[in-house]
C-alpha cells in the first residue's frame, strides 16, 4: 500500500517508521533537513505516570506510549546503530503546597494498580536525596519547597535526536523522505474534495497514494 505523509517532524517521522515496516511510504516536508520547527522547541518530556489525571483515553494513551518507549528505543538503536540519548533516571516534580502534595497519595494508589511506581517525598526526604534544593522556592515568591513526587518510570528524550533516528530507521525500511518539497494541492477520486485523495501534487510531480496522513503542525 502506498502511504503519503505530509510533515516530517517527530510525529510524521514516528508514523513513517511504523508504517514503513509494512508499506511503501513517502514523506514530504517543506523545511530543509536541518530545520526543526516545533520539534526543535519541544522539551521531550515523557510524563505519563507523573500526572494527577486518574483515567481517560488521553491518559491511557500516554501510559501505553510510555511503556512502548522501553522497547522502541533499543529497537531503533539496533536497527540504525545510532545511540539515542535519553534520561533513564525518571522525573522529579517539586511541590510547594502541602495540600497538593497530599492529593498525590490517591494518584499513587491508582498508578500502582496500573503498573507504575510513584514516590511521594516530604521536605526532609527530598533534601536528604537532593540537598542542593534547600533554598528552592516557587518562582517570584518566597514559598519554599515542601516535598516532591518522584516518578522513576517517566522519561525524557532529545526530540531532534529521536526524530533523526526515526527518519534513518524509516529510510532503512525503504521510506522516501523529500525535504524542501511543499505540497501544493491534492487530486481526489471525484469532484468533491471530501473524496479519497489519490495524488499528492508538488511543483515537480503528482504522486499516487492510497492513503494520506497530514502531520504538519
Amino acid at each position: 500500500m502506498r502511504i503519503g505523509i505530509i510533515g516530517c517532524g517527530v510525529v510524521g517521522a514516528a508514523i513513517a517508521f511504523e508504517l514503513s515496516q509494512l508499506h511503501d511510504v513517502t514523506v514530504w516536508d517543506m523545511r530543509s533537513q536541518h530545520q526543526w520547527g516545533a520539534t526543535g522547541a519541544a522539551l521531550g518530556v515523557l510524563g505519563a505516570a507523573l500526572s494527577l489525571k486518574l483515567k481517560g483515553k488521553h491518559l491511557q494513551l500516554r501510559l501505553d506510549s510510555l511503556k512502548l518507549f522501553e522497547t522502541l528505543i533499543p529497537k531503533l538503536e539496533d536497527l540504525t546503530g545510532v545511540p539515542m540519548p535519553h534520561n533513564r533516571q525518571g522525573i522529579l516534580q517539586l511541590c510547594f503546597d502541602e495540600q497538593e502534595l497530599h492529593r498525590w497519595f490517591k494518584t499513587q494508589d491508582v498508578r500502582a494498580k496500573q503498573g507504575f511506581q510513584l514516590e511521594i517525598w516530604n521536605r526532609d526526604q527530598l533534601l536528604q536525596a537532593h540537598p542542593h534544593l534547600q533554598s528552592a522556592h516557587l518562582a517570584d515568591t518566597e514559598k519554599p519547597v515542601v516535598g516532591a513526587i518522584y516518578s522513576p518510570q517517566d522519561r525524557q528524550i532529545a526530540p531532534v535526536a529521536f526524530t533523526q533516528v526515526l527518519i534513518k530507521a524509516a529510510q532503512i525500511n525503504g521510506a522516501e523522505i523529500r525535504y524542501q518539497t511543499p505540497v501544493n494541492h491534492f487530486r481526489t477520486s471525484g469532484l468533491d474534495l471530501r473524496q479519497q485523495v489519490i495524488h499528492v501534487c508538488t511543483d515537480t510531480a503528482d504522486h499516487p497514494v492510497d492513503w494520506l496522513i497530514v502531520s504538519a503542525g
Side-chain angles (χ1 to χ4, degrees), residues 147-166:
I149 304 90
Y150 173 55
S151 175
Q153 291 160 288
D154 279 323
R155 296 286 182 262
Q156 185 173 17
I157 59 170
V160 170
F162 178 51
T163 306
Q164 288 173 324
V165 172
L166 285 169

Side-chain angles (χ1 to χ4, degrees), residues 13-184:
I15 296 171
F17 166 65
E18 288 295 333
L19 294 183
S20 67
Q21 298 175 79
L22 297 172
H23 302 290
D24 180 8
V25 173
T26 303
V27 187
W28 297 272
D29 199 307
M30 65 185 299
R31 67 177 176 87
S32 75
Q33 188 173 353
H34 304 293
Q35 294 175 320
W36 291 103
T39 295
L43 294 176
V45 175
L46 309 177
L50 199 59
S51 167
L52 279 170
K53 290 186 177 181
L54 300 180
K55 59 182 180 179
K57 291 182 179 180
H58 289 170
L59 173 65
Q60 192 58 53
L61 181 61
R62 290 167 67 180
L63 294 174
D64 290 344
S65 296
L66 184 59
K67 291 178 181 177
L68 176 64
F69 269 90
E70 294 304 301
T71 55
L72 176 61
I73 290 175
K75 180 179 180 179
L76 290 170
E77 290 178 331
D78 288 344
L79 178 61
T80 64
V82 178
M84 202 186 78
H86 67 288
N87 166 31
R88 296 177 174 87
Q89 281 74 51
I91 295 177
L92 182 71
Q93 178 172 308
L94 301 184
C95 190
F96 301 89
D97 184 278
E98 288 284 358
Q99 290 184 343
E100 179 187 350
L101 189 66
H102 286 122
R103 284 199 293 270
W104 280 96
F105 284 104
K106 182 177 181 180
T107 304
Q108 183 186 47
D109 290 339
V110 173
R111 289 291 179 269
K113 295 174 184 176
Q114 295 168 329
F116 293 90
Q117 178 185 357
L118 287 178
E119 297 179 17
I120 300 173
W121 298 349
N122 60 31
R123 180 178 171 86
D124 290 341
Q125 291 170 311
L126 171 64
L127 296 183
Q128 184 177 1
H130 302 283
H132 59 284
L133 294 175
Q134 172 75 37
S135 59
H137 60 275
L138 198 61
D140 301 323
T141 75
E142 295 301 320
K143 205 169 184 179
V145 63
V146 298
I149 304 90
Y150 173 55
S151 175
Q153 291 160 288
D154 279 323
R155 296 286 182 262
Q156 185 173 17
I157 59 170
V160 170
F162 178 51
T163 306
Q164 288 173 324
V165 172
L166 285 169
I167 291 171
K168 183 172 182 178
Q171 290 173 321
I172 290 172
N173 289 338
E176 184 174 356
I177 314 295
R178 301 185 179 187
Y179 296 103
Q180 294 181 297
T181 309
V183 171
N184 297 326

